[in-house]
């Protein structure tokens, strides 16, 4: 059974055209994370939510925004994608008192 | 600055051989994670190490943690081709909401 679901799995957008990636979870976890992973690099944290409390990493570009309308869903909005934003975007969830982060399958973003 | 350093970054080994991947971290953290990633895929949790001296084993992989030395190891015993993947270690500092701070990954290739 899928636990962390990301849609779409592949997204192609044009330079400067806004795009939204979605993540949903069936685990009822408090904490949700968005990571960016560029080719052959380690995943890099963009944001995380503890319930509705939003935490932005200091070096996350302003071009990236996030929304969490309820426990189950979290969105990543890229307002004006550049070529350098092409990457795999990984969503992860965790119960606050648990130790394991569960990753979704990722969305691979291509910017033309 | 938070740092997680893995070595080696690339490892080619023959089937049946043993080898160890090292992970040094600079943060004060007693939580250390190992993940596996296959090409184009998401991250699969392998081990969560929560205390000094923790040792966990699954099949041909064994992970250990020395929090005093800020060192974790992932030991591979009698490697098989199916173990070919990229292995990431990650620390989870408390003050980051347990968001994962990843090393650069070790790309492992097991050859006949």
């Amino acid at each position: 059974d899928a636990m962390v679901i990301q849609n779409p799995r592949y997204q192609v957008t044009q330079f400067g055209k806004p795009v939204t990636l979605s993540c949903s979870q069936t685990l009822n976890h408090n904490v949700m994370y968005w990571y960016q992973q560029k080719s052959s690099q380690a995943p890099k944290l963009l944001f995380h939510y503890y319930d509705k409390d939003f935490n932005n990493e200091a070096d996350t570009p302003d071009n990236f925004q996030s929304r969490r309308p309820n426990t189950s869903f979290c969105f990543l909005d890229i307002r004006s994608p550049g070529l350098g934003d092409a990457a795999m975007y990984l969503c992860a969830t965790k119960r606050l008192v648990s130790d394991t982060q569960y990753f979704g399958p990722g969305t691979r973003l291509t910017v033309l | 600055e938070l740092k997680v350093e893995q070595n080696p970054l690339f490892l080619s080994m023959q089937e049946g051989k043993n080898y160890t991947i090292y992970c040094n971290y600079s943060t004060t953290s007693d939580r250390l994670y190992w993940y596996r990633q296959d090409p184009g895929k998401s991250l699969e949790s392998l081990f969560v190490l929560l205390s000094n001296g923790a040792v966990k084993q699954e099949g041909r992989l064994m992970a250990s943690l020395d929090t005093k030395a800020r060192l974790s190891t992932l030991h591979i015993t009698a490697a098989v081709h199916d173990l070919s993947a990229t292995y990431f270690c990650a620390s989870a500092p408390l003050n980051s909401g347990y968001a994962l701070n990843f090393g650069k990954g070790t790309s492992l290739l097991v050859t006949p």
Side-chain angles (χ1 to χ4, degrees), chain B residues 48-91:
Chain B
V48 180
L49 304 168
L50 299 177
S51 60
N52 187 39
V55 177
K56 291 194 175 180
Q57 183 162 5
E58 181 74 31
R60 301 175 188 273
L61 301 177
M62 183 174 70
S64 66
L65 178 62
D66 180 344
T67 57
K68 294 180 182 176
R70 294 185 181 173
L71 171 68
S72 180
T73 61
L74 180 67
H75 186 73
I76 303 158
T77 302
V80 293
H81 179 68
D82 286 351
L83 290 179
S84 297
T86 298
Y87 293 85
F88 290 97
C89 68
S91 70

Side-chain angles (χ1 to χ4, degrees), chain A residues 18-31:
Chain A
V19 66
T20 294
L21 311 182
S22 76
C23 177
S24 63
Q25 52 136 333
T26 60
L27 300 163
N28 204 34
H29 285 175
N30 311 82
V31 193

Side-chain angles (χ1 to χ4, degrees), chain A residues 15-19 36 46-47 56 59-66 76-85 89 109 111:
Chain A
F15 183 94
K17 186 174 181 181
V19 66
Q36 178 193 61
L46 296 173
F47 325 93
N56 192 28
D59 56 356
T60 298
D62 292 340
N63 197 25
F64 290 80
Q65 306 278 315
S66 184
L76 173 62
D77 302 307
I78 308 175
R79 291 191 297 187
S80 182
L83 298 178
D85 297 328
Y89 289 88
L109 177 67
V111 181

